[in-house]
Amino acid sequence: MIKTKYLLIILLVSVALIFIPNKAYAAVESERKFEETGGSFNLYLTGLNLDTTHEYQFGIVSEKTNEIENWFDIEEYTENTATVFIDISKYYIKQVALFTNTGYLTIKDITEDTNVLENYEVDLTPDYMKLVNTSLVKNGQSLSTYEWDCGAYTSSISKAYYQYQKITDQNVIDRYLEIKENNGNVYEMKDMFNNTYPTSNWNEWNTWIYSQGGSPSLKIEAPDEGLYYMWLYFKGDNIKDIYAFVIVDALSDKIYLQSINLPLNRYNVSVGKSITLTPFFVPSNATNKNVTWSSSDEKIAKVDSNGKVTALKPGTVIIKITAEEGNGDIFETCTVTVVEDDNENNDNENNNNNNGNNNDDISNIEKDETVSPTPIPQTGEKLIIFIIPIVILSGIIIAYIKLKKSKDIR
């Protein structure tokens, strides 16, 4: 019974020794920031317990069981934080980073010769946009023989390949155009880019020089107009496969929108009916034709994203179309009056008939401000219609009187 008791105590102590360190490190968090190219990065650690009067070093290995042979100074730290520079140019760090995507970090208090953090797992995957010393190139741009520096990834340990892949996500393209127009940094939108690299159809780099970098081709030549990834692939016998990309701008130059016009300034629409307004853009080949529609009172008439106006109840509203352009909002308006009369309004009906259009769509109507916006009263026609029956009736009465008199004479 005593032996069993001691065995249980030993077992509990062993479990504690295993889990207590992990629990202590569980509070430690880290963030990678790729402030340089070539795969190096700063690792910002929080949740530490350090003494600012002591000095600290770190080491990194590819396996937890490996012994750390080389230590590197930590220059920036507080009581709870430390900045560790994972410098791929350092030989012993490079030997870990080139062969695995996961490393194990240990921080040592060299003042007391004790470890304050052991085998902390670190992601060593390179940032796709920070491996090469550029993140954006223009289509047609010429490259020198040693144009792109890829840090530790050289011809001595790897071969280099590339290929183009077109970006089709319009949200990505729109965001890129916004950054481009504001002279921003394309790296700001790195989280929007696709991180799924191609698996085939690679082309070998034109030049790939030992310790000096190289260039995929002598000239950037995207297959067609658009925005592209130029995917890069580095492969070696004794290193992990490395992927990265550079954004290639093969977009046509932007043509700014100057104005928007609508077919008419004023429309009359019966309750329950609809008309579709089709805008005319100036110039017609403007790059931005994305517009929004709005109604001044959606209880009277509402308008959808395609410019279709639906009349709901009598009243008058202003329909507005707006395009957001770099030099400010461009807009146009028209007045829509909703009436209860089921008869087609002369403005819409006459113009539609003149354009060979017998439905509610007046998108092809040319604007003609010489036409009266309301029907002109035709009083002469109504007077004739009223007089004719009176004349006929009077003639019948006179004829009847004469006939009766002639009978009486006889």
Side-chain angles (χ1 to χ4, degrees):
M1 189 70 181
I2 295 176
K3 289 183 178 180
T4 303
K5 181 178 179 181
Y6 281 117
L7 286 172
L8 287 172
I9 292 172
I10 293 171
L11 181 61
L12 289 172
V13 171
S14 300
V15 170
L17 290 173
I18 292 173
F19 287 102
I20 287 175
N22 288 337
K23 185 176 180 181
Y25 300 152
V28 177
E29 296 182 354
S30 62
E31 179 185 4
R32 301 190 308 161
K33 290 190 177 180
F34 288 83
E35 297 168 0
E36 297 188 18
T37 58
S40 299
F41 61 91
N42 279 314
L43 183 69
Y44 294 91
L45 295 159
T46 59
L48 297 170
N49 186 17
L50 307 178
D51 188 329
T52 55
T53 64
H54 293 189
E55 294 183 347
Y56 296 90
Q57 291 182 327
F58 78 93
I60 191 167
V61 291
S62 58
E63 300 288 344
K64 288 182 178 181
T65 55
N66 291 357
E67 182 180 351
I68 298 175
E69 298 179 1
N70 290 82
W71 296 86
F72 303 90
D73 292 337
I74 298 178
E75 298 179 357
E76 296 181 24
Y77 57 92
T78 65
E79 292 181 353
N80 305 113
T81 67
T83 301
V84 174
F85 182 38
I86 306 298
D87 186 356
I88 306 299
S89 66
K90 301 292 185 182
Y91 177 79
Y92 287 101
I93 295 178
K94 179 169 68 176
Q95 294 307 302
V96 177
L98 289 180
F99 297 97
T100 180
N101 283 326
T102 303
Y104 298 93
L105 179 79
T106 295
I107 294 179
K108 178 173 65 174
D109 182 338
I110 59 177
T111 303
E112 294 186 349
D113 194 27
T114 58
N115 293 338
V116 297
L117 185 68
E118 290 185 344
N119 289 327
Y120 183 79
E121 190 173 301
V122 177
D123 182 7
L124 297 176
T125 307
D127 186 313
Y128 282 167
M129 296 186 72
K130 286 289 189 177
L131 186 65
V132 184
N133 60 332
T134 186
S135 55
L136 174 66
V137 291
K138 286 283 291 182
N139 193 43
Q141 179 179 327
S142 297
L143 300 179
S144 65
T145 304
Y146 314 125
E147 185 85 12
W148 289 354
D149 180 6
C150 305
Y153 306 97
T154 64
S155 64
S156 62
I157 59 172
S158 68
K159 288 187 176 182
Y161 305 88
Y162 77 97
Q163 68 169 283
Y164 294 98
Q165 184 183 58
K166 193 167 188 176
I167 298 175
T168 57
D169 188 332
Q170 191 59 46
N171 292 327
V172 173
I173 297 172
D174 290 343
R175 176 61 178 144
Y176 170 76
L177 290 172
E178 181 183 345
I179 289 177
K180 179 181 178 180
E181 189 167 336
N182 295 318
N183 296 316
N185 189 337
V186 70
Y187 190 73
E188 296 174 23
M189 55 182 297
K190 67 179 288 290
D191 292 336
M192 294 183 69
F193 289 127
N194 175 29
N195 289 335
T196 304
Y197 51 81
T199 57
S200 59
N201 301 321
W202 294 100
N203 306 299
E204 195 166 348
W205 278 35
N206 179 67
T207 54
W208 186 227
I209 310 300
Y210 177 81
S211 75
Q212 292 181 316
S215 62
S217 58
L218 297 178
K219 187 177 182 180
I220 301 297
E221 295 180 311
D224 196 1
E225 181 181 314
L227 195 64
Y228 284 82
Y229 301 104
M230 176 185 271
W231 277 100
L232 310 176
Y233 171 38
F234 303 91
K235 179 179 177 61
D237 293 335
N238 296 313
I239 68 168
K240 65 186 180 184
D241 289 349
I242 309 296
Y243 296 91
F245 63 75
V246 172
I247 298 299
V248 178
D249 183 347
L251 296 165
S252 59
D253 292 335
K254 183 173 183 178
I255 300 174
Y256 285 91
L257 181 66
Q258 297 175 8
S259 65
I260 304 174
N261 297 318
L262 291 172
L264 292 175
N265 291 327
R266 185 184 299 273
Y267 300 87
N268 285 2
V269 188
S270 298
V271 172
K273 292 193 175 182
S274 63
I275 57 174
T276 299
L277 307 178
T278 300
F280 300 97
F281 297 94
V282 179
S284 60
N285 61 340
T287 302
N288 176 26
K289 292 184 180 180
N290 297 321
V291 298
T292 57
W293 295 86
S294 62
S295 169
S296 61
D297 190 338
E298 293 192 345
K299 293 181 180 179
I300 296 174
K302 63 181 181 179
V303 59
D304 67 13
S305 59
N306 296 316
K308 183 178 179 180
V309 180
T310 302
L312 301 177
K313 72 176 185 178
T316 299
V317 297
I318 302 298
I319 299 298
K320 183 177 181 180
I321 177 174
T322 305
E324 185 177 335
E325 193 57 279
N327 53 357
D329 287 349
I330 294 175
F331 65 90
E332 177 65 298
T333 63
C334 67
T335 301
V336 174
T337 300
V338 179
V339 296
E340 290 183 343
D341 186 7
D342 289 334
N343 295 324
E344 293 293 333
N345 176 265
N346 286 344
D347 278 344
N348 299 337
E349 179 67 19
N350 291 339
N351 279 287
N352 282 338
N353 290 336
N354 290 336
N355 286 280
N357 210 350
N358 293 321
N359 53 31
D360 290 333
D361 188 347
I362 46 76
S363 60
N364 294 321
I365 298 174
E366 295 280 336
K367 180 180 288 190
D368 185 359
E369 297 183 356
T370 64
V371 178
S372 173
T374 57
I376 299 175
Q378 304 296 324
T379 55
E381 293 179 0
K382 292 182 178 180
L383 185 60
I384 291 171
I385 292 171
F386 180 74
I387 291 173
I388 288 174
I390 296 175
V391 172
I392 293 172
L393 181 60
S394 299
I396 293 171
I397 293 172
I398 293 170
Y400 174 77
I401 293 172
K402 287 183 177 181
L403 179 61
K404 185 177 183 182
K405 284 183 178 179
S406 62
K407 287 181 179 181
D408 292 340
I409 293 171
R410 290 177 185 178

